[in-house]
Amino acid sequence: MDIDTGSASGDTGFAHPLLAWLADVGAGIDAAIECPTLSLPLDQYEEAMRQLAVYEARLASLRLSLTQQAELIEVRKLTGAANTAGWVRQVTRMGRREASVSVRLAKALDQTIRATGQALSEGEISLGQAQVIERAIRRLPNDIDPDVRAEAEAFLLDSAQALDVDDLDKAGKHLYEVIAPEDAERRIGKQLEEQERRARENRTLSFGPVRDGMGTIFMRLDVPTLAVLQALLDPLARPRPTGPEGPDLRSSERRQADAFAELLGQAQAAVDAPTRGSIRPRITVTISYEDLVAWLGYGTLNSVVTDSGPTHLKVRTQAGAGGSDEDRSGPGGQALIGYRITGPPLSATLVRQLACDAEIIPVVLGGDGAVLDLGRGTRLFTSSQRHALAERDGYYCHFPNCRRPEKCTEAHHINHWIDGGTTYLNNGVLLCQHHHTVIHTKGWTVRMGDDGHPEYIPPPWVDPYQNVIRPNDTTLIRH
């Protein structure tokens, strides 16, 4: 029979039978869409859905067959498309990825997984299942025996009768382990070694800009490193027990972030913490003396005090003592000791808290910008003193109802060092990072009690009577 492949709407020739059949299908679909479904009996809904799924699969099979034929005869040249996927996108308005997957599946159904193509054309599997089978077979090694490949396809086609797309995809991922377990173990081992090598080489960590007191870290970690980090954070990120402040209302993301901050504090305080030039990790904060004493204003966070940077640092010395003429200027002998790198601002309250028990070197400036005091780590409680504090009050955070272990605590100066407080046992208490912040910012007061142990006075919005709380005693003492 002679067939004219001209336009169905043309005045001459005949339309191809496929186009005539599709026109009939379209008319049937129009009728089905216009048919009221409210009158469909409840027990026939399932049959209607199954029939629609079968027809969708068969139409998809027809479309893929047409796609493969268009690939073979290079129909794309009629429209100037770069490839068949581009032509499919033009005609069907598919996305780039969907069109590429469609062309690849059409080729596979015609050449490598013909049994799957047959099942799709008969409506025995869905288009999604066919895509899963193609993907699973494509994952198999190129040198696998053809009989094993055919067996794998048959296994997936049989499984598709009972599994949905998601479960079939899981079966496809483990397919090679099922049909060739010994070879799969060897190949998977090599693949994992290569994957792990690439992951280690591609680990990245970068810091984003600081805005509104917040900075951002971008990390891409290999699985073992990520697992270690998660294992370290998990015990630190657990909700705090209900105490005088009430229940822990932090979100899981906030608890993870707080745990990460606590982990960094532990790492910095560790005996074997990493050093640079024999100096343990530390940062510098520059602040005026008036702001530090009055709990007002702010300081500037600096990473290091170096010999290069934009702003001079001068320290006040006795007149005429020490240093050369070039190193001293003005009355009182202000000697240039270096420069500072300006950074993000920190409130005076936070500077006072950090200076309690962190490797923070406070550079306290006078009104003329000269350094009045270059604080040093010796103001911090020593390891022996921390041990003594733990022996006195217990090996945990001393705040009421908190039992964070001693290794997670910071040594707080009851009377702050800038206010004349000394680094002695009767002026210290071990507090976890959270409750250290509470003492500095939430209106709580800690003082040394008559029994030689710290005691706490809550703010009036927590307890209107401000009863004294002694963690080592179950009684409340009226203040």
Side-chain angles (χ1 to χ4, degrees):
M1 179 178 66
D2 294 333
I3 298 176
D4 188 337
T5 58
S7 171
S9 60
D11 295 333
T12 62
F14 296 95
H16 191 281
L18 176 60
L19 296 179
W21 179 86
L22 290 174
D24 291 339
V25 170
I29 292 176
D30 288 340
I33 291 175
E34 294 172 359
C35 179
T37 57
L38 289 176
S39 58
L40 184 67
L42 295 179
D43 60 352
Q44 295 182 18
Y45 269 79
E46 180 178 338
E47 177 61 22
M49 289 292 286
R50 290 184 182 278
Q51 286 294 332
L52 285 172
V54 168
Y55 294 149
E56 285 178 350
R58 301 187 71 181
L59 283 171
S61 173
L62 179 60
R63 176 175 58 80
L64 291 169
S65 177
L66 194 64
T67 299
Q68 174 61 7
Q69 188 62 30
E71 167 77 3
L72 295 175
I73 63 176
E74 298 184 316
V75 172
R76 62 180 176 81
K77 293 181 177 179
L78 296 176
T79 61
N83 49 43
T84 303
W87 174 77
V88 170
R89 288 178 60 205
Q90 292 175 356
V91 174
T92 65
R93 297 189 296 277
M94 287 185 183
R96 187 184 305 275
R97 181 178 181 279
E98 184 183 7
S100 297
V101 169
S102 180
V103 172
R104 187 180 64 213
L105 177 60
K107 181 177 180 180
L109 294 177
D110 181 59
Q111 297 180 3
T112 59
I113 50 172
R114 293 182 177 179
T116 302
Q118 182 65 27
L120 181 65
S121 68
E122 295 176 0
E124 296 178 355
I125 61 173
S126 69
L127 174 61
Q129 289 176 315
Q131 291 173 333
V132 166
I133 294 173
E134 185 275 329
R135 189 162 56 244
I137 298 300
R138 180 162 43 86
R139 289 196 194 104
L140 297 177
N142 294 329
D143 58 349
I144 194 172
D145 188 273
D147 292 337
V148 175
R149 190 183 299 274
E151 181 183 351
E153 182 184 6
F155 166 76
L156 291 175
L157 284 172
D158 183 61
S159 300
Q161 304 307 309
L163 302 178
D164 61 21
V165 171
D166 293 335
D167 289 337
L168 186 63
D169 187 47
K170 293 177 183 177
K173 290 178 179 178
H174 298 285
L175 176 65
Y176 192 47
E177 299 176 42
V178 174
I179 62 175
E182 294 182 1
D183 192 44
E185 184 176 352
R186 177 181 61 82
R187 290 178 184 269
I188 292 173
K190 288 186 176 180
Q191 291 173 359
L192 288 175
E193 288 178 2
E194 177 60 21
Q195 176 179 300
E196 290 160 359
R197 182 191 63 79
R198 291 197 305 268
R200 286 191 298 270
E201 293 178 353
N202 292 324
R203 286 186 297 202
T204 59
L205 189 153
S206 59
F207 295 90
V210 175
R211 296 189 181 94
D212 300 325
M214 295 289 289
T216 304
I217 298 177
F218 302 94
M219 289 192 295
R220 295 181 71 247
L221 302 176
D222 56 298
V223 172
T225 303
L226 185 62
V228 170
L229 178 60
Q230 290 175 324
L232 290 171
L233 293 179
D234 180 65
L236 302 176
R238 294 172 183 170
R240 292 188 295 269
T242 300
E245 307 166 85
D248 190 348
L249 301 179
R250 296 174 300 165
S251 66
S252 60
E253 291 83 1
R254 166 67 188 278
R255 287 190 280 109
Q256 291 283 351
D258 289 349
F260 187 70
E262 188 170 339
L263 180 65
L264 292 179
Q266 292 186 32
Q268 188 182 38
V271 174
D272 56 351
T275 62
R276 184 176 182 180
S278 75
I279 299 176
R280 293 172 61 191
R282 58 180 49 172
I283 57 179
T284 305
V285 175
T286 303
I287 188 171
S288 72
Y289 177 78
E290 291 80 7
D291 288 347
L292 186 61
V293 172
W295 297 52
L296 299 173
Y298 65 93
T300 301
L301 178 66
N302 316 299
S303 59
V304 288
V305 174
T306 67
D307 59 358
S308 62
T311 307
H312 290 189
L313 272 179
K314 291 183 284 187
V315 62
R316 189 183 301 280
T317 63
Q318 294 182 356
S324 63
D325 293 338
E326 291 89 8
D327 293 334
R328 294 195 304 274
S329 61
Q334 296 176 0
L336 181 65
I337 63 168
Y339 305 84
R340 65 183 174 91
I341 308 300
T342 58
L346 298 179
S347 70
T349 299
L350 182 55
V351 172
R352 291 173 68 98
Q353 177 184 337
L354 292 174
C356 270
D357 189 33
E359 283 292 332
I360 305 294
I361 305 302
V363 180
V364 183
L365 303 179
D368 58 357
V371 176
L372 298 180
D373 177 49
L374 186 63
R376 288 174 171 81
T378 53
R379 78 185 185 286
L380 306 179
F381 286 90
T382 66
S383 176
S384 297
Q385 287 175 315
R386 285 180 57 93
H387 181 77
L389 290 174
E391 283 287 339
R392 184 192 70 192
D393 300 324
Y395 282 85
Y396 42 76
C397 171
H398 190 260
F399 195 88
N401 293 342
C402 185
R403 286 297 182 268
R404 280 289 208 190
E406 182 268 339
K407 67 179 182 179
C408 300
T409 61
E410 302 168 350
H412 168 67
H413 287 77
I414 295 175
N415 183 24
H416 201 275
W417 66 274
I418 194 63
D419 299 324
T422 56
T423 307
Y424 293 150
L425 297 182
N426 61 359
N427 191 43
V429 60
L430 298 180
L431 298 172
C432 69
Q433 187 180 71
H434 168 71
H435 287 123
H436 196 183
T437 303
V438 167
I439 292 298
H440 276 271
T441 64
K442 302 296 185 181
W444 284 75
T445 300
V446 57
R447 68 187 186 188
M448 187 60 65
D450 295 337
D451 61 351
H453 295 279
E455 58 188 25
Y456 301 83
I457 302 173
W461 52 87
V462 173
D463 178 6
Y465 299 103
Q466 293 191 279
N467 289 314
V468 175
I469 302 176
R470 292 178 176 172
N472 293 349
D473 193 348
T474 58
T475 61
L476 293 178
I477 309 301
R478 178 71 65 186
H479 177 57

